[in-house]
């Protein structure tokens, strides 16, 4: 390929990365809001969060992009640029999947932890912030990593709006060179490299979040505590 065509592909890569970043941030925010709402004590909050989850999880992301970009303008009298239309459609769609990850991770925390927070007179927000989320978030990372890769591949759908992402730019180059095998092989490799880097980043984040969680007490510290307990008579047998 000529340098001009490579520039077109690189611009498509940058557009795809921008779209991935914006839609991932929106999806993450929606996931936590809807996921926490699915565990709320009030049924109306759980119901509304469930309606959102079922609607966006049960509809096609491609149709949602069409709806946001082509249906909203005549209905409300304003037009979203392709970047923000794609961000809104993808963020809301994948956020519905993410909300189930959040809900499942929160429900997986030992109920005794929740009961301990109640015994300490913590408010629901304090229990969520200090007890539930620190234990649940590390368990969310692996499924969120898979969802992020799916979102990366889903960004190719925005090419139907004429947005110059990687898939759209690659198709223009294919039409210019009439070389389908070579161009689409390059596209596959580029998507793979981006996905591989995202996987490495998410694994590093998972290790960092899990550092210190569930560690056994140090041997010297445990022995010292036992010795002090025996000296003070705490836990000792009756002479």
């Amino acid at each position: 390929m000529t340098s001009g065509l490579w520039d077109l592909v690189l611009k498509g890569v940058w557009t795809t990365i921008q779209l991935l970043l914006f839609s991932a941030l929106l999806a993450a925010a929606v996931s936590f809001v809807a996921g926490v709402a699915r565990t709320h004590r009030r049924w109306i909050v759980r119901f509304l969060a469930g309606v959102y989850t079922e609607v966006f999880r049960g509809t096609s992301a491609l149709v949602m992009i069409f709806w946001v970009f082509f249906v909203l303008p005549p209905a409300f009298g304003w037009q979203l640029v392709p970047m923000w239309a794609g961000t809104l459609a993808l963020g809301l769609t994948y956020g519905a999947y993410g909300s189930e990850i959040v809900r499942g991770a929160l429900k997986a925390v030992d109920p005794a932890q929740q009961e301990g927070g109640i015994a300490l007179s913590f408010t629901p927000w304090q229990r969520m912030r200090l007890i539930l989320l620190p234990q649940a978030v590390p368990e969310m990372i692996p499924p969120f990593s898979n969802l992020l890769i799916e979102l990366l591949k889903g960004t190719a759908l925005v090419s139907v709006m004429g947005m110059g992402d990687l898939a759209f730019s690659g198709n223009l180059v294919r039409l210019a060179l009439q070389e389908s095998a070579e161009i689409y092989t390059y596209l596959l490799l580029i998507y793979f490299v981006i996905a591989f880097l995202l996987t490495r980043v998410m694994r590093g984040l998972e290790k960092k979040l899990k550092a210190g969680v569930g560690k056994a007490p140090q041997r010297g510290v445990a022995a010292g505590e036992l010795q002090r307990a025996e000296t003070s008579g705490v836990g000792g047998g009756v002479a």
Side-chain angles (χ1 to χ4, degrees):
M1 287 193 298
T2 63
S3 59
L5 293 178
W6 272 116
D7 289 340
L8 182 61
V9 172
L10 292 178
K11 288 180 181 178
V13 172
W14 175 237
T15 301
T16 294
I17 292 175
Q18 286 181 296
L19 178 62
L20 175 64
L21 176 62
F22 295 146
S23 56
L25 290 175
L26 177 59
V30 171
S31 296
F32 275 92
V33 172
V36 172
R38 293 292 301 274
T39 65
H40 201 274
R41 64 184 184 276
R42 294 187 178 180
W43 72 268
I44 185 63
V45 178
R46 297 196 305 271
F47 174 76
L48 293 176
V51 168
Y52 156 74
T53 300
E54 295 303 325
V55 168
F56 281 89
R57 192 174 58 172
T59 53
S60 168
L62 179 60
V63 176
M64 188 60 65
I65 290 174
F66 280 133
W67 196 87
V68 171
F69 192 66
F70 295 109
V71 177
L72 283 182
F76 295 95
W78 44 267
Q79 176 73 57
L80 287 173
V81 298
M83 175 64 75
W84 300 123
T87 297
L88 183 61
L90 293 175
L92 292 177
T93 299
Y94 285 88
Y97 292 100
S99 67
E100 284 298 284
I101 296 174
V102 174
R103 184 189 65 84
L106 291 174
K107 288 293 186 181
V109 176
D110 190 347
Q113 301 288 330
Q114 178 90 325
E115 294 169 1
I118 296 174
L120 293 171
S121 300
F122 284 178
T123 64
W125 168 242
Q126 287 176 322
R127 294 197 299 271
M128 180 66 65
R129 181 171 59 89
L130 301 176
I131 298 176
L132 297 180
L133 285 179
Q135 298 181 66
V137 168
E139 303 304 323
M140 300 176 193
I141 300 302
F144 266 132
S145 178
N146 289 334
L147 190 62
L148 185 61
I149 301 303
E150 288 297 322
L151 177 57
L152 168 65
K153 293 184 286 187
T155 58
L157 297 175
V158 301
S159 60
V160 299
M161 298 184 294
M163 185 175 173
D165 71 312
L166 179 57
F168 185 82
S169 300
N171 190 52
L172 291 181
V173 174
R174 181 191 67 84
L175 293 174
L177 297 180
Q178 295 298 312
E179 289 288 344
S180 298
E182 178 184 357
I183 301 305
Y184 286 135
T185 299
Y186 284 143
L187 294 185
L188 288 176
L189 290 175
I190 293 172
Y191 277 114
F192 172 77
V193 169
I194 298 174
F196 181 79
L197 294 176
L198 290 174
T199 302
R200 297 294 102 184
V201 171
M202 294 298 286
R203 286 187 180 179
L205 179 61
E206 180 184 2
K207 290 181 180 179
K208 184 176 181 180
L209 290 176
K210 286 187 175 181
V213 176
K215 280 187 176 180
Q218 296 180 8
R219 189 171 183 178
V221 174
E225 293 292 339
L226 179 60
Q227 184 177 5
R228 286 194 295 272
E230 290 175 349
T231 303
S232 61
V234 177
V238 179

